[in-house]
Amino acid sequence: MNHLGTQTIETERLILRRFCADDAQAMFNNWASDAEVTKFMTWPPYQSVGGVACYLEFVENSYEKGELHWAIELKEIGEPVGAISVVSINEAVKSVEIGYGIGRNWWHNGITSEAFAAVIKFLFDNTDVNRIEAKHDARNVNSGRVMKKCGLKYEGTLRQAGFNNQGICDSAVYSILREEYENEFNN
């Protein structure tokens, strides 16, 4: 797969951009320290801004390897309110998996869908990826709604195939293929 690295993507309300060290406080305040936000994540809520700063140092170093991690910055407030990333790549079938999270104060406002749709467009328009998938704990129905809104199709639920802060969970799988995207969104 051709890799372009994390590039800035702008939408009507958002700037998807690289994280930087200066984002630590906003990330901690806006979502990373909230147990409700991290309920279905694989990482626990952060206990300090310093912990977030260490994570952001890791992310900044990952950009050198071409990894894709975007801060979801809300233009209205000029700071990140969430994150969206390519969490895994299968080069053999040109497939990527997307993961995302957003602060509770911004739930149910279409922000995650807007960010995810922009990342889908970026990947299909600028790389040779053929399949974009996302998974969620079957109990986290709002995440599934985001996936459907972005054109992903439900493929099935893998029983006890996931793990997060709730423990072992059923994992609902969604995907969109390049041909589906081109037929639906590029007509």
Side-chain angles (χ1 to χ4, degrees), residues 109-127:
N109 288 300
I111 292 170
T112 307
S113 300
E114 187 174 328
F116 194 7
V119 168
I120 291 168
K121 180 176 178 15
F122 170 81
L123 291 170
F124 281 137
D125 288 354
N126 297 291
T127 73

Side-chain angles (χ1 to χ4, degrees), residues 9 28 73 80 84 113 137 174 184:
I9 304 169
F28 181 80
E73 180 179 311
I84 187 165
S113 300
D137 183 317
Y174 293 74
E184 177 132 351

Side-chain angles (χ1 to χ4, degrees), residues 71-120:
I72 301 171
E73 180 179 311
L74 187 59
K75 290 178 184 178
E76 184 180 302
I77 63 172
E79 63 184 41
V81 297
I84 187 165
S85 301
V86 171
V87 296
S88 69
I89 298 174
N90 182 333
E91 296 276 354
V93 294
K94 297 182 179 178
S95 177
V96 297
E97 181 182 348
I98 305 296
Y100 48 77
I102 191 164
R104 194 177 349 173
N105 291 339
W106 298 277
W107 287 358
H108 310 294
N109 288 300
I111 292 170
T112 307
S113 300
E114 187 174 328
F116 194 7
V119 168
I120 291 168

